Amino acid sequence: MKKILIANRGEIAIRVMQTAKKMGIKTVAVYSEADRNAPHVRFADEAAYIGEAPSKQSYLRGSHIIAVAKSLNADAIHPGYGFLSENADFAEEVESNGLIFIGPKAKAIRMMGSKLAAKEAVKKYKIPMVPGIDEAITDVKKAKGIAREIGYPILIKASAGGGGKGMRIVTQEKDLESQMSRAISEATSAFGDGSVFLEKYVTSPRHVEIQIMADSHGNILYFFERECSVQRRHQKVVEEAPSAILSPELRKEMGVAATQVARSCDYLGAGTVEFLMDADLNFYFLEMNTRLQVEHPVTELISGVDLVELQIRVARGEALPMQQEDLEINGHAIELRVYAEDPLNNFLPSVGKLERYRLPEGKGIRVDNGFEEGMDVPIYYDPMLSKLITYGKSREEAIELMIRAIDQYEVEGVMTTLPFGRFVCEHDAFRSGNFDTHFVKNYYSPDILRKNEEEEARIAAIIALKQYLKDQKVLRTPNN
Ligand code: MV4
């Protein structure tokens, strides 16, 4: 593998290129009209224009991107996350054009893209699952019978859904019929597949996911867990590794279950197996994400591996260079997703020019960044500016470092989620480790941030006044 085309933009394109460069592999960036001057373009050895700003006319043009890769003699395509990363047809087309897709085979992507197919695939292993059914259901009468058996509240999920799309909570039987028909029509229009199924609704779960990596020689390793419960409307905001609540035994149990999920679909490359965990630490398999995830850096910091390097190596057909016994957790890492969104105004995208943009730096601080001072934040794509990641010997150290790094991070021109990240890191529930997926909903309100900001403004005013009085004393010397 001598040259890789990265079919993505922003921080993840740069992240992948960094490792490719380290491995002596040439890189090709692709860019849309909006990204002509983007850092990921300048970071690459070569770059190719692929179309207008909207993703559909650029970053989602699979066939065109493949043609570009071939014309520039690339050997492989890395899809990053989002865009084409979980598009089975694209993975297939890459391979049928004689290029290497740095990711799993199309079959595994397809299987795990369907919740029902995934449940079917893992059946031969003893993977704990939420009580529910593993077939699509349309008959309301039958559904009522099943829901009664499972017990309310139940959750209707779309088989083709994911990341919370197409889910409906039903608390009582009289709502089941209407919710089911809504769920089916929503799933049909959103995914072109109206299959829905029922599960017991776990009311206050944690979201714990396991990073796995598989090679083409039958080896599958787990790289421990990430705790991702701090999320807002299915959008993760803060992630950490390891989880504050897993025992070594439970970690191993979940790790083994995750590798079995990967085995069930003949997995290759980096993947993440998502679990729900209830208050009694029971865990249940939810779904598998067949890509490198946004939050992979926390895993890299605590395990000491470069996940992108391993992706590239297994894509080249190499065996994984370590065994499960070689892996251990060192320290604690936390990631804050820094979005150009206004936490005081319902997290509305805050577009504009980065008038000032200075990153924090220092020991234990990593910033996976895709922007620079003077750039506009484009409206066409995800508004994530960067990922701020801190690493310490302990969870407390990582949290303290995160607060200091947030204070050091300078952004002017757009609103960001940095103050929101500070709120999370200072909150007792987060600090104690005792929180679930309802953290933001339960504890956050813009008023809290406003009060913090007013308090900061008050302190700044006091300091300014003190300095003013001091300056006056200096100026009023006896000779004046
Ligand atoms: C659930 C659940 C409770 N009970 N399934 C949301 C995203 C998708 N991956 C599955 N999700 C959930 N499935 C049962 N049976 C609660 C969620 C859920 C959630 C899961 C992980 C992280 C954040 C979440 C936020 C709301 C709901």
Side-chain angles (χ1 to χ4, degrees):
M1 206 183 277
K2 295 192 180 67
K3 197 191 271 191
I4 297 176
L5 180 144
I6 296 90
N8 216 300
R9 63 182 300 282
E11 66 87 17
I12 193 62
I14 294 172
R15 161 72 193 88
V16 171
M17 290 178 205
Q18 276 166 341
T19 290
K21 285 191 178 183
K22 180 182 87 178
M23 297 172 77
I25 300 169
K26 294 276 179 235
T27 56
V28 181
V30 292
Y31 62 93
S32 72
E33 189 61 48
D35 282 339
R36 281 193 179 279
N37 300 311
H40 82 273
V41 176
R42 267 178 288 122
F43 197 77
D45 296 304
E46 287 173 80
Y49 173 76
I50 52 165
E52 297 300 313
S55 312
K56 276 213 171 99
Q57 296 169 55
S58 51
Y59 298 105
L60 289 173
R61 288 178 71 194
S63 305
H64 182 56
I65 291 172
I66 291 168
V68 168
K70 284 167 84 173
S71 76
L72 294 174
N73 289 315
D75 317 292
I77 296 183
H78 194 301
Y81 53 72
F83 297 127
L84 297 163
S85 61
E86 291 178 283
N87 183 324
D89 293 340
F90 176 70
E92 209 158 62
E93 196 180 333
V94 171
E95 305 258 281
S96 69
N97 276 276
L99 302 172
I100 297 171
F101 179 75
I102 302 177
K105 298 296 165 208
K107 197 175 142 223
I109 300 176
R110 220 166 259 138
M111 212 187 263
M112 292 297 139
S114 156
K115 309 287 155 283
L116 287 172
K119 279 182 192 254
E120 187 61 38
V122 304
K123 256 186 185 168
K124 61 177 165 190
Y125 299 98
K126 283 205 205 85
I127 313 284
M129 308 240 240
V130 186
I133 52 169
D134 51 13
E135 282 171 44
I137 190 162
T138 48
D139 185 335
V140 178
K141 231 171 150 185
K142 233 164 119 187
K144 281 186 180 166
I146 291 161
R148 227 173 276 171
E149 256 174 61
I150 300 173
Y152 287 88
I154 62 142
L155 194 57
I156 308 173
K157 290 187 176 181
S159 177
K165 268 178 267 165
M167 296 195 335
R168 283 174 175 276
I169 302 168
V170 185
T171 53
Q172 44 181 341
E173 186 171 295
K174 75 172 175 56
D175 301 332
L176 187 66
E177 181 161 10
S178 62
Q179 292 288 46
M180 234 174 93
S181 64
R182 260 188 233 159
I184 292 170
S185 65
E186 250 179 42
T188 308
S189 64
F191 316 115
D193 172 4
S195 312
V196 301
F197 59 98
L198 309 180
E199 273 182 3
K200 172 92 189 159
Y201 178 57
V202 183
T203 45
S204 297
R206 286 175 169 256
H207 172 138
V208 180
E209 58 185 35
I210 307 285
Q211 174 72 53
I212 65 98
M213 183 72 70
D215 66 21
S216 55
H217 303 268
N219 306 302
I220 309 178
L221 301 177
Y222 62 88
F223 293 78
F224 316 112
E225 77 280 6
R226 292 185 289 260
E227 160 70 65
C228 306
S229 297
V230 182
Q231 53 86 40
R232 192 188 153 269
R233 301 196 180 168
H234 303 296
Q235 173 85 266
K236 292 168 188 163
V237 208
V238 174
E239 302 105 339
E240 62 180 311
S243 162
I245 55 157
L246 290 202
S247 64
E249 293 73 32
L250 192 50
R251 174 169 297 125
K252 185 170 177 187
E253 212 184 314
M254 292 179 80
V256 169
T259 60
Q260 287 170 335
V261 172
R263 205 168 292 284
S264 79
C265 61
D266 203 9
Y267 203 79
L268 175 67
T272 297
V273 181
E274 284 186 22
F275 295 97
L276 282 185
M277 183 167 274
D278 67 20
D280 301 323
L281 302 189
N282 297 305
F283 65 90
Y284 308 98
F285 168 58
L286 262 192
E287 53 193 78
M288 180 171 191
N289 300 319
T290 56
R291 59 171 189 274
L292 181 73
Q293 299 213 151
V294 174
E295 60 272 27
H296 76 277
V298 292
T299 298
E300 294 187 320
L301 288 170
I302 63 146
S303 67
V305 302
D306 178 335
L307 290 170
V308 176
E309 180 182 338
L310 292 180
Q311 281 190 301
I312 292 172
R313 284 185 182 228
V314 300
R316 292 198 294 217
E318 291 174 34
L320 283 164
M322 70 280 275
Q323 291 179 342
Q324 194 63 55
E325 300 75 58
D326 302 330
L327 295 171
E328 58 171 27
I329 298 177
N330 274 301
H332 198 99
I334 301 182
E335 171 178 286
L336 168 66
R337 298 191 187 189
V338 183
Y339 286 98
E341 291 176 347
D342 184 357
L344 295 177
N345 192 9
N346 207 24
F347 293 85
L348 245 69
S350 171
V351 291
K353 189 172 166 184
L354 292 169
E355 301 288 353
R356 188 170 174 81
Y357 192 69
R358 302 288 161 92
L359 305 178
E361 47 193 77
K363 189 171 173 286
I365 298 176
R366 165 173 166 179
V367 191
D368 282 18
N369 172 49
F371 284 81
E372 60 195 10
E373 197 163 286
M375 265 176 80
D376 281 309
V377 180
I379 54 167
Y380 302 97
Y381 317 109
D382 184 271
M384 195 178 77
L385 296 176
S386 77
K387 305 179 306 207
L388 175 54
I389 308 124
T390 59
Y391 174 68
K393 279 196 218 63
S394 64
R395 186 167 187 270
E396 293 67 33
E397 206 178 296
I399 293 175
E400 283 314 313
L401 193 49
M402 178 61 79
I403 294 171
R404 267 186 276 150
I406 289 170
D407 288 345
Q408 257 189 58
Y409 206 135
E410 296 179 51
V411 187
E412 282 168 30
V414 301
M415 303 298 276
T416 75
T417 50
L418 282 166
F420 174 79
R422 190 179 220 287
F423 158 81
V424 173
C425 289
E426 287 173 345
H427 199 281
D428 285 341
F430 182 73
R431 295 180 86 100
S432 72
N434 182 19
F435 57 92
D436 58 42
T437 51
H438 302 301
F439 176 87
V440 179
K441 197 181 67 193
N442 286 349
Y443 301 119
Y444 177 69
S445 86
D447 287 337
I448 297 171
L449 278 198
R450 271 188 210 112
K451 282 207 190 81
N452 283 354
E453 282 181 9
E454 275 165 26
E455 181 61 15
E456 268 171 40
R458 207 175 68 86
I459 292 165
I462 291 168
I463 294 168
L465 179 63
K466 211 176 147 201
Q467 188 63 40
Y468 172 74
L469 295 173
K470 202 171 136 198
D471 289 351
Q472 275 200 327
K473 266 188 210 149
V474 174
L475 291 171
R476 279 197 210 138
T477 50
N479 297 342
N480 277 351

